[in-house]
Structures are given as structure tokens and as C-alpha cells.
């Protein structure tokens, strides 16, 4: 791992900030999973001058940020004997282990940090040392469950970058990390432009063709069922649309047969447009909930449960708001007699938390899911 990449991870996670959803009113609707070429094109859109090269950040750098993390390294203005100015940017789940590890360092109030808050962004800089390290400037924006970190290194950083004439300005970095397209789900335009971004290259697969655009279609019960099954270790016996949901909502019911000492389990998963008032109520509940009350935050989601009482087996619900969508998964069947996060059955809390955070789950469905839905497995009931 390069020193700069490590600095991005440490300093970026140290600069947490809170914000609203990454797709405010008027922003382009999301339509597909962000790819490294699309992210590289977005960097080039925000930074003055044409990019000379772009490549993905290494797996070792992104590994601790979770499988959903996407990052690129983009070079500008190279010259003889100089690789040019480097901009690194990544987007990752705020709850990923790599981000959590450095959360205690995130406050700009510490006198030990050269840090400032600007337009909802945390700005951090490290001054350089002649002959050793030119220093760097980093910006972090957190919105909901997602964090975006961008860093710049090139000429010597001698003080507050807002007061310096740098080839990559603070305004450009702020614009980049707050761009709603720099998110786990981005626009078709960004994906298509990234596929044609000539300076992008993946050194892991030299000579490969650039990827085509990852187009997306509206989510359907079939695509939702497939994605849910992908996150579930046990195979469903049947699945079908949930009649309790009406467009624009999307809902499914999945049935898991008795096995391994477990009773038959019914799982319902629903996608609904996020309503600000309901989201606010849930966040207030999350702020005051405790395990003794039957609820607990987990991985950016809220887990709530009721215990078995007589003939009532109890229930478990996972709720999460992301990219303008509310995701809710609830299941019942096997008696809930303790903390559901410790239950080992056909549907695990951690699986549903992972599903709720999947960037492919939202307004649009990835094209590969739509294609797979055309040939649904036997358990799907139309």
C-alpha cells in the first residue's frame, strides 16, 4: 500500500461528516452500480485540465473498506521526470470496518489536526517536508450511509490549501465529493462516459476492452427476489410478489421450508420511496433504542424484534434508508427467544443488513439481474 493511499484511509476516515441523502430533489436519478471507469470520468469532469491516466485503486487498499467500495487514481499534467498531480478518490459504506477504525480521529476540533469544515465537507491537509513528502489535501463528505474521500498530491503544501494557488483547488475537491453521481448507484450517463474514457486502464487486466455501460431497469419483484436469494445462504422454497405492496413500491414474499431444527419461515422484503417524516421517526427511534427495548442499530440499518409469546412466534425487522429508498425486510415463523442477531437459521440478520446496503437494490435494477429474471428458478411463483 502506498503512503498516500494509507494516508487517504487514515485521514479520510478521520474526517466524518453528516448529511442528507446523496440524491437531493432535482438530482439525476440513479440507474446503475458505480464502476471505476465511471468514477475516473467524474474526477476528470471536476478537475481542470485533461486527465493523462486513470486506474483503479488496488484491492489491498480498498479491501478494508468493504466489497462495495470503489476507488480510482487519476493523474493530471505530467511532465518529463514527473508523473504529474495525483487525485485519488473512493466511495465506501460509512459502516465498513476500514472507516470505523478511524472514527475516533474524525473531529476537526482537535488541535493536532490541520482540518476545517467547508460546505458540509471535512477538509484535512498535511504540510510537506522538502526532499521527503510534498504533503497532501483531503476532503471527505458523508451522506447517509456512504462516505466519499478525495485526496490530492502534487506541489508542496505549505499551509491552509484554501489560501494557496494549487493546480487542484479546494473548490474542485469539494465539488467532487459532494457530486450526487459519486455514489454506489450512479447515472447511466456516467457509466456510458466511463466506458469510453480513453485514459482509463486496469493494470490487473492489460489490453482488455473497456467495459460497456451498466444499464439499469426498474426494480421488479423478480429482480428483488433474485437479489434477496443472492444474500441468503438457505434456498427458498417459493417466492412471489407481495400483494400488500402497490407501485411504486416493490415487494416479495419468500417461504423457507423447515430444516435444521427450524420451523417454516416467511420473509417479506419491500422497497418503498423514502418518506422524510418516516425516516425522521425511525432515526429518532434509533437514537434512543436499546437492546432491552427490542431494537439495535446494525451496519447502517435498524434491527427491531418481538419475542415469542404463546402461539405468536415473534418477528424480526430490518429497515434502512438509502438513495431515496426505504428497504424493509421482516420475517417470522421460528420462535424468537433471544437476540435475533445470534440466531442461526434460514434468514440471518446480517444477511438482511447486507441486502439492505447492496448498491444494486434501489430505484433501478442492474441489467444482469433483469436478464436473470427472464429465466427465474423453479421456486419463483408468478
Amino acid at each position: 500500500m502506498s503512503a498516500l493511499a494509507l494516508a487517504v484511509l487514515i485521514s479520510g476516515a478521520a474526517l466524518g461528516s453528516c448529511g442528507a441523502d446523496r440524491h437531493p430533489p432535482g438530482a439525476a436519478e440513479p440507474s446503475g452500480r458505480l464502476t471505476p471507469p465511471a468514477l475516473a470520468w467524474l474526477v476528470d469532469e471536476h478537475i481542470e485540465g485533461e486527465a493523462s491516466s486513470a486506474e483503479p485503486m488496488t484491492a489491498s487498499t480498498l479491501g478494508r473498506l468493504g466489497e462495495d467500495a470503489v476507488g480510482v487514481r487519476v493523474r493530471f499534467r505530467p511532465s518529463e521526470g514527473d508523473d504529474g498531480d495525483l487525485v485519488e478518490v473512493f466511495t465506501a459504506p460509512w459502516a465498513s470496518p476500514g472507516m470505523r477504525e478511524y472514527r475516533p480521529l474524525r473531529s476537526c476540533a482537535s488541535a493536532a489536526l490541520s482540518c476545517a469544515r467547508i460546505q458540509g465537507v471535512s477538509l484535512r491537509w498535511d504540510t510537506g517536508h522538502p526532499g521527503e513528502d510534498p504533503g497532501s489535501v483531503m476532503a471527505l463528505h458523508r451522506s447517509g450511509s456512504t462516505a466519499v474521500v478525495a485526496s490530492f498530491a502534487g506541489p508542496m503544501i505549505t499551509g491552509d490549501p484554501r489560501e494557496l494557488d494549487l493546480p487542484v483547488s479546494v473548490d474542485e475537491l469539494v465539488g467532487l465529493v459532494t457530486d450526487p453521481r459519486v455514489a454506489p448507484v450512479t447515472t447511466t450517463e456516467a457509466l456510458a462516459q466511463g466506458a469510453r474514457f480513453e485514459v482509463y486502464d486496469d493494470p490487473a487486466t492489460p489490453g482488455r476492452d473497456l467495459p460497456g455501460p451498466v444499464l439499469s431497469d426498474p426494480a421488479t419483484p423478480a429482480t428483488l427476489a433474485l437479489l434477496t436469494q443472492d444474500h441468503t445462504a438457505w434456498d427458498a422454497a417459493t417466492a412471489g410478489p407481495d400483494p400488500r405492496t402497490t407501485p411504486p413500491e416493490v415487494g416479495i414474499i419468500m417461504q423457507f421450508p423447515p430444516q435444521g431444527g427450524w420451523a417454516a419461515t416467511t420473509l417479506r422484503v419491500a422497497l418503498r420511496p423514502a418518506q422524510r417524516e418516516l425516516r425522521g421517526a425511525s432515526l429518532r427511534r434509533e437514537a434512543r433504542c436499546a437492546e432491552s427495548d427490542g431494537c439495535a442499530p446494525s451496519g447502517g440499518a435498524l434491527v427491531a424484534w418481538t419475542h415469542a409469546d404463546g402461539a405468536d412466534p415473534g418477528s424480526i425487522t430490518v429497515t434502512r434508508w438509502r438513495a431515496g429508498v426505504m428497504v424493509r425486510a421482516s420475517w417470522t415463523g421460528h420462535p424468537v427467544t433471544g437476540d435475533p442477531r445470534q440466531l442461526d437459521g434460514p434468514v440471518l440478520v446480517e444477511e438482511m443488513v447486507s441486502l439492505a446496503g447492496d448498491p444494486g437494490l434501489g430505484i433501478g435494477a442492474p441489467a444482469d439481474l433483469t436478464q436473470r429474471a427472464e429465466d427465474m428458478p423453479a421456486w419463483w411463483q408468478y
Side-chain angles (χ1 to χ4, degrees), residues 164-252:
L164 301 177
D165 184 13
L166 299 173
V168 176
S169 69
V170 168
D171 287 343
E172 288 173 329
L173 290 179
V174 170
L176 175 61
V177 298
T178 56
D179 188 331
R181 298 172 297 177
V182 182
V185 180
T186 192
T187 61
T188 299
E189 179 196 19
L191 294 166
Q193 293 289 351
R196 297 190 290 267
F197 195 41
E198 295 182 355
V199 301
Y200 179 83
D201 180 42
D202 187 347
T205 54
R208 69 171 177 83
D209 293 333
L210 291 173
V214 183
L215 300 179
S216 291
D217 306 306
T220 66
T223 59
L224 178 57
L226 280 174
L227 194 58
T228 301
Q229 183 64 83
D230 286 346
H231 281 267
T232 307
W234 290 17
D235 293 331
T238 62
D242 188 341
R244 300 187 307 182
T245 54
T246 57
E249 301 173 344
V250 179
I252 58 168

Side-chain angles (χ1 to χ4, degrees), residues 54-111:
E55 63 182 21
M57 292 175 69
T58 63
S60 60
T61 300
L62 294 177
R64 295 168 62 238
L65 293 168
E67 61 181 12
D68 294 332
V70 179
V72 293
R73 296 162 49 90
V74 186
R75 292 277 183 181
F76 294 84
R77 294 171 287 273
S79 59
E80 185 176 353
D82 186 349
D83 291 335
D85 303 318
L86 173 65
V87 175
E88 288 191 341
V89 60
F90 69 79
T91 176
W94 180 250
S96 65
M99 299 300 288
R100 287 199 303 267
E101 182 175 350
Y102 300 103
R103 277 189 173 184
L105 304 175
R106 72 179 184 271
S107 175
C108 279
S110 172

Side-chain angles (χ1 to χ4, degrees), residues 234-275:
W234 290 17
D235 293 331
T238 62
D242 188 341
R244 300 187 307 182
T245 54
T246 57
E249 301 173 344
V250 179
I252 58 168
I253 301 176
M254 300 180 74
Q255 301 283 349
F256 294 83
Q259 63 183 48
W262 276 71
T265 300
T266 299
L267 167 67
R268 294 177 183 266
V269 181
L271 298 175
R272 296 187 175 95
Q275 298 180 33

Side-chain angles (χ1 to χ4, degrees), residues 307-314 335:
H307 287 137
D309 183 9
D312 181 2

Side-chain angles (χ1 to χ4, degrees), residues 28-73:
E29 291 294 336
S31 44
R33 297 191 189 199
L34 181 68
T35 63
L39 180 56
W41 176 77
L42 288 168
V43 173
D44 187 53
E45 283 288 282
H46 281 275
I47 306 303
E48 185 177 354
E50 293 185 1
S52 60
S53 66
E55 63 182 21
M57 292 175 69
T58 63
S60 60
T61 300
L62 294 177
R64 295 168 62 238
L65 293 168
E67 61 181 12
D68 294 332
V70 179
V72 293
R73 296 162 49 90

